[in-house]
Amino acid sequence: MTSTPRAAIILAAGQGTRMKSPLPKVLHSVGGRAMLDHAIDAAEALGCERIVVVVGDHSPEVRAHVAKRLGEAAIAVQDPPLGTGHAVLAARAAMADFDGEVIVTYGDVPLLKSRDIESAFGGGDGVTVVGFEARDPTGYGRLLIDADGGLEAIVEHKEASPDQLRVTVCNSGVMAAPAALLFDLLAEVRNDNAKGEYYLTDVVELARARGARTRTVMAGEDAVMGVNAQAELAVAEALFQKVQRETFLAAGVTMPAPETVHFSFDTEVGGGTTIEPYVVFGPGAKIASGARIRSFSHIEGATVAAGAEVGPYARLRPGADLGEGAKVGNFVEVKNVRMGKGAKANHLSYLGDGEVGAKANIGAGTIFCNYDGFFKHRTTVGEGAFVGSNSSLVAPVTIGAGAMVGSGSVITTDVAPGDLALARGAQSAKAGWAARFMETMRAKKAAKTRA
């Protein structure tokens, strides 16, 4: 627990026009999670007891998103948008009774973690700016460090001298300061510039004029990467995936082609698991040690126990729960179904809303008919039961332990344990009919060809 209270102001009021999307920029996802949620996660991990998100009137979706997660009290509105300094100042009322340090971050910087900016706190009665060493500093504001290691100034690229342009320490835009000092400085910021905007960076010069300490702490360039266009979103996703893959490989997960495996922000995979190429994990996937996920499978909101096998070409949807040694094979979809230890559904089936007991076998082409057009209903298949291929189980229905369902059956009522259920039309045969039919049709075809 930190001794000085902490708060975060997250700027999320940008128009995001370069995304060219009806979805607000900060709600675009990286690793299956909205960029804004990544920013909120980082603030929470820093121990911030108060988080304020600055939104614009032009994005009611963003406001609704923040309200759902943090509540209305966490929202500040910037209207009209008049620069970053103006955006932070919009949070002043929401921070009026806060006495502690505040950090300013951004809703479009999805890779930033608490560990990257923890050192921004503890700057005493001064201002701390988070910088980074840029591989290519073109376009970035430069951080000019004085002989004593303090931050002398932030110079925008277009205003920098040739000597200043050679500086590779750049401004990330993330800044921390005591709340009272930050808002006092912002009140002095002027908009006498080409754009007529109030810039957050101006507080550094104002702080130095007061004799307040100004300093820089460093973060990695990838961590502070901002997303403004679809191409940058794709780069952020690639960087996120790279870290996830490296993390799981280091934890003992076997991946012959890790570059083809896609993880979400909350994917859990135990060491000793094998993940074959071209697997996608949506949010909420939990894979126990020793499981095997085969190629071209999609897993979301599902749990897979040790020794279980999924795929190839399988889909586990939310609520799927595979027990130890269970098997879901090719072209099988499972949604909200618990499969017991050693249960199997190897081919071409849909299992939705129900339970499959231990060591039960679900034959190819089996359908759990769970939806009547208005409500979902459950199907229960007992331990050791055997469901023959091409069967439809019309829920609500229970197949008892050790029972059997004959292939091609449509089961609409419960089957008692140990019983055999058959629900299909009786087979009949007409002797010689097929041979006579084929002979007649061949003759007709030959006559038509000659004509």
Side-chain angles (χ1 to χ4, degrees):
M1 195 71 175
T2 59
S3 56
T4 303
R6 294 177 174 181
I9 298 172
I10 301 173
L11 306 189
Q15 298 278 352
T17 54
R18 289 171 56 194
M19 296 298 287
K20 298 182 179 179
S21 169
L23 182 68
K25 177 175 67 171
V26 297
L27 299 186
H28 282 76
S29 294
V30 170
R33 190 160 179 77
M35 291 194 290
L36 179 55
D37 282 319
H38 282 289
I40 295 172
D41 290 344
E44 290 180 338
L46 282 167
C48 294
E49 64 182 51
R50 185 173 304 183
I51 300 172
V52 177
V53 181
V54 180
V55 305
D57 272 343
H58 57 85
S59 293
E61 302 97 330
V62 176
R63 179 171 189 144
H65 189 94
V66 176
K68 183 176 181 181
R69 177 163 178 183
L70 299 175
E72 286 287 341
I75 297 170
V77 179
Q78 182 193 24
D79 182 39
L82 296 175
T84 51
H86 180 258
V88 177
L89 206 54
R92 187 170 194 168
M95 301 286 293
D97 60 343
F98 178 77
D99 183 18
E101 291 184 275
V102 60
I103 191 164
V104 179
T105 66
Y106 300 83
D108 58 0
V109 183
L111 304 181
L112 191 68
K113 304 296 184 186
S114 60
R115 61 178 177 268
D116 300 311
I117 51 176
E118 172 71 35
S119 60
F121 289 104
D125 292 329
V127 174
T128 300
V129 174
V130 177
F132 65 97
E133 283 280 356
R135 293 180 284 268
D136 177 4
T138 304
Y140 290 114
R142 307 304 205 274
L143 300 185
L144 305 184
I145 311 299
D146 63 25
D148 298 324
L151 177 59
E152 185 175 278
I154 302 176
V155 180
E156 295 305 317
H157 178 92
K158 62 184 178 181
E159 298 171 357
S161 69
D163 284 344
Q164 291 169 340
L165 288 175
R166 284 191 283 271
V167 174
T168 57
V169 180
C170 297
N171 178 31
S172 72
V174 178
M175 180 182 294
L181 174 64
L182 179 62
F183 289 115
D184 281 352
L185 293 172
L186 284 170
E188 298 178 14
V189 173
R190 298 291 178 259
N191 67 338
D192 49 354
N193 52 66
K195 291 187 175 181
E197 294 185 348
Y198 299 87
Y199 294 132
L200 178 61
T201 52
D202 288 353
V203 303
V204 171
E205 181 180 351
L206 293 169
R208 287 182 70 87
R210 287 190 178 197
R213 181 187 181 197
T214 55
R215 68 181 184 122
T216 299
V217 296
M218 301 298 289
E221 181 174 7
D222 291 342
V224 297
M225 172 191 174
V227 171
N228 294 296
Q230 295 291 345
E232 292 170 347
L233 182 68
V235 170
E237 183 69 46
L239 290 169
F240 173 88
Q241 294 300 330
K242 181 176 182 292
V243 171
Q244 290 287 80
R245 292 161 186 156
E246 290 173 351
T247 299
F248 287 122
L249 287 168
V253 176
T254 298
M255 288 187 282
E259 69 280 3
T260 68
V261 179
H262 187 102
F263 295 100
S264 283
F265 72 101
D266 61 349
T267 306
E268 297 179 18
V269 184
T273 294
T274 296
I275 304 174
E276 295 182 1
Y278 299 104
V279 171
V280 174
F281 294 99
K286 297 180 180 180
I287 315 300
S289 178
R292 185 178 188 90
I293 313 300
R294 303 191 64 188
S295 293
F296 299 102
S297 295
H298 189 287
I299 301 174
E300 179 177 358
T303 301
V304 179
E309 185 172 332
V310 178
Y313 294 98
R315 184 182 182 195
L316 302 186
R317 292 170 57 195
D321 185 356
L322 273 59
E324 183 179 348
K327 171 69 186 297
V328 169
N330 49 285
F331 304 105
V332 175
E333 180 178 348
V334 181
K335 188 271 292 184
N336 194 28
V337 170
R338 161 69 182 169
M339 296 188 69
K341 183 176 181 179
K344 296 180 179 179
N346 282 320
H347 320 282
L348 300 160
S349 296
Y350 171 67
L351 313 182
D353 298 302
E355 184 169 353
V356 178
K359 296 186 177 180
N361 186 86
I362 307 297
T366 295
I367 304 296
F368 284 14
C369 305
N370 60 328
Y371 184 51
D372 63 8
F374 297 93
F375 301 102
K376 299 291 181 68
H377 303 278
R378 291 180 61 81
T379 296
T380 301
V381 177
E383 182 175 342
F386 183 94
V387 178
S389 298
N390 198 35
S391 294
S392 297
L393 310 182
V394 183
V397 71
T398 297
I399 311 301
M404 298 183 71
V405 173
S407 296
S409 294
V410 178
I411 303 299
T412 59
T413 58
D414 292 351
V415 180
D419 281 6
L420 167 66
L422 296 170
R424 58 190 183 217
Q427 182 173 317
S428 62
K430 297 182 179 181
W433 187 93
R436 293 191 299 272
F437 173 78
M438 291 182 185
E439 182 178 355
T440 299
M441 297 308 292
R442 288 190 189 103
K444 287 183 178 180
K445 185 174 183 179
K448 185 175 182 180
T449 301
R450 288 194 297 271

